[in-house]
Amino acid sequence: KIQQVTDSIYIPYIDYEKSQVAKFYPDFIFWLKKDSNYKIIFIDPHGLQVGRDSTIDKVEGFESLFANNKFTKDKYNIELELVWYYQESVKEELLEKYRKWDFDEIFD
């Protein structure tokens, strides 16, 4: 679990409601490795409950940083993924794209 006060792993985004740059600290970050392939999964189970506008801002921040979520560095293949762990479907297409509920789907 990421601790905002001690960890510096965050995704910067523009909070349009407050008109300022903010830091998104996903609740969990998983680093998975298989051979020379790495998958980094940012998971937030509460993001869709807090407020849709803020969540959209966070997704847009993630997408602006990781427009191409797959890249190669040295001999490593790296994939980044954002997951809103939330059971109920949401109306916004952008948020629905990142919503997952099935454990096997998240860690495929």
Side-chain angles (χ1 to χ4, degrees):
K1 178 148 173 82
I2 301 299
Q3 298 296 318
Q4 292 183 24
V5 293
T6 59
D7 296 320
S8 61
I9 299 173
Y10 63 88
I11 299 169
Y13 71 98
I14 298 173
D15 184 330
Y16 289 102
E17 185 177 314
K18 296 179 182 176
S19 298
Q20 66 184 24
V21 175
K23 297 176 180 179
F24 166 39
Y25 293 90
D27 285 346
F28 303 96
I29 300 175
F30 291 91
W31 299 67
L32 308 173
K33 179 183 183 297
K34 183 176 183 181
D35 302 322
S36 62
N37 299 311
Y38 287 83
K39 186 171 185 177
I40 303 168
I41 307 171
F42 301 94
I43 299 179
D44 195 310
H46 301 106
L48 295 176
Q49 297 171 347
V50 175
R52 300 280 201 261
D53 292 340
S54 174
T55 305
I56 290 171
D57 294 345
K58 291 173 184 177
V59 168
E60 289 174 347
F62 176 83
E63 288 184 342
S64 71
L65 285 174
F66 307 115
N68 179 8
N69 68 338
K70 295 180 182 182
F71 59 95
T72 301
K73 176 69 174 159
D74 298 325
K75 60 181 180 174
Y76 303 107
N77 300 311
I78 303 167
E79 179 181 357
L80 296 140
E81 184 176 0
L82 175 64
V83 172
W84 299 112
Y85 186 76
Y86 195 68
Q87 186 172 13
E88 297 174 25
S89 181
V90 294
K91 294 178 183 175
E92 291 86 358
E93 185 177 327
L94 178 64
L95 300 181
E96 189 66 26
K97 180 170 113 176
Y98 293 95
R99 184 187 69 83
K100 292 185 180 179
W101 181 249
D102 184 282
F103 184 84
D104 292 331
E105 183 183 4
I106 294 171
F107 296 102
D108 61 358

